[in-house]
Amino acid sequence: MKLVVANESHFKYAQIICDTIAESAKVRGTGIAKRTPEYIQKKLSNGNAIIALDGDKFAGFCYIEVWGHEKFVANSGLIVHPDYRGHGLAKAIKGRIFELSREKFPNAKIFGITTGLAVMKINYDLGYQPVTFSELTDDPEFWKGCQTCKNFDILTRTERKMCLCTGMLYDPERKEKDKKKKEINSKSFKRLKSIKEALFFKKENK
């Protein structure tokens, strides 16, 4: 199994990617934004997608969308072909597209909206946190993509404040702050430990 950054040589897979996404939505009975082969080809050609191949056979896919002048990016369209489900491929693809997003857009907040519990778990393991829709991009083009979802009326009725999807966000600035906080706490703990050990040693030698 190969996970590669997609390019124009993968155009032949655009239709099966769209078909697999549509069939998955039917089986799950959940809302999902439809994609066209032309739209998928655009993602394949600009190097903003990961495709999983078993030889020449399509196995899985995910792509990056860029919003708000690169302030936000979304990892969208995650799909695994039915023949390859149940083996951790979705997690592997999600991890690789996350790495690609961090490489190409290191300062961007990475977000997604999903109804799938499995995807939420994968996102959480990568460092995403559940957030309100107001913390996601306000780029109208992103929300236009929801128009083909059967739950779009819920989104419009709530003035884009909520829907059946859960919003999740990875904020690199927050992660850096958390990392520094952990480092400070670790240093404080080590200092406290050394003081206690010194006091104990002093008491033992009286």
Side-chain angles (χ1 to χ4, degrees):
M1 184 70 65
K2 296 186 298 182
L3 271 64
V4 298
V5 178
N7 55 51
E8 293 181 0
S9 70
H10 300 112
F11 276 11
K12 60 184 178 181
Y13 298 105
Q15 187 62 59
I16 192 173
I17 290 170
C18 293
D19 293 344
T20 306
I21 290 173
E23 285 302 316
S24 176
K26 285 181 184 178
V27 171
R28 289 183 295 148
T30 57
I32 192 167
K34 292 179 181 178
R35 280 82 170 181
T36 65
E38 292 76 21
Y39 184 80
I40 294 298
Q41 285 179 352
K42 183 178 178 181
K43 300 304 174 183
L44 295 170
S45 65
N46 64 15
N48 282 350
I50 294 294
I51 189 167
L53 299 172
D54 181 8
D56 290 330
K57 190 175 179 182
F58 169 72
F61 178 75
C62 193
Y63 65 87
I64 300 169
E65 293 179 299
V66 184
W67 307 103
H69 304 289
E70 299 188 3
K71 291 180 180 178
F72 289 88
V73 299
N75 295 162
S76 301
L78 175 65
I79 193 67
V80 172
H81 191 278
D83 294 347
Y84 297 92
R85 290 174 187 165
H87 301 288
L89 183 56
K91 185 175 182 179
I93 294 171
K94 191 70 171 166
R96 185 63 190 92
I97 198 72
F98 179 79
E99 290 174 359
L100 184 63
S101 300
R102 296 286 291 127
E103 290 166 12
K104 297 189 72 172
F105 310 99
N107 299 316
K109 294 179 180 179
I110 306 173
F111 75 99
I113 58 173
T114 182
T115 57
L117 291 176
V119 175
M120 290 181 205
K121 175 65 167 59
I122 294 171
N123 285 347
Y124 185 78
D125 290 343
L126 288 169
Y128 289 67
Q129 296 294 325
V131 295
T132 61
F133 282 7
S134 64
E135 294 181 66
L136 306 180
T137 180
D138 59 0
D139 192 321
E141 289 301 312
F142 170 77
W143 298 102
K144 276 185 182 179
C146 295
Q147 289 179 352
T148 56
C149 174
K150 69 177 186 179
N151 299 319
F152 185 65
D153 64 311
I154 301 174
L155 189 67
T156 53
R157 287 203 312 269
T158 61
E159 296 180 341
R160 220 166 65 193
K161 292 177 181 177
M162 64 182 69
C163 195
L164 296 188
C165 279
T166 297
M168 300 191 76
L169 181 75
Y170 174 91
D171 185 344
E173 288 188 6
R174 184 171 62 192
K175 284 296 171 184
E176 187 60 31
K177 289 177 183 177
D178 289 346
K179 181 181 177 182
K180 289 180 179 178
K181 186 177 180 180
K182 285 181 180 178
E183 288 175 352
I184 292 171
N185 289 341
S186 177
K187 287 179 181 178
S188 298
F189 174 76
K190 288 178 180 178
R191 184 166 178 270
L192 180 60
K193 183 182 177 183
S194 64
I195 291 172
K196 285 188 175 183
E197 286 174 346
L199 290 172
F200 179 78
F201 180 76
K202 184 177 179 181
K203 183 179 179 181
E204 286 289 305
N205 284 277
K206 278 187 177 181

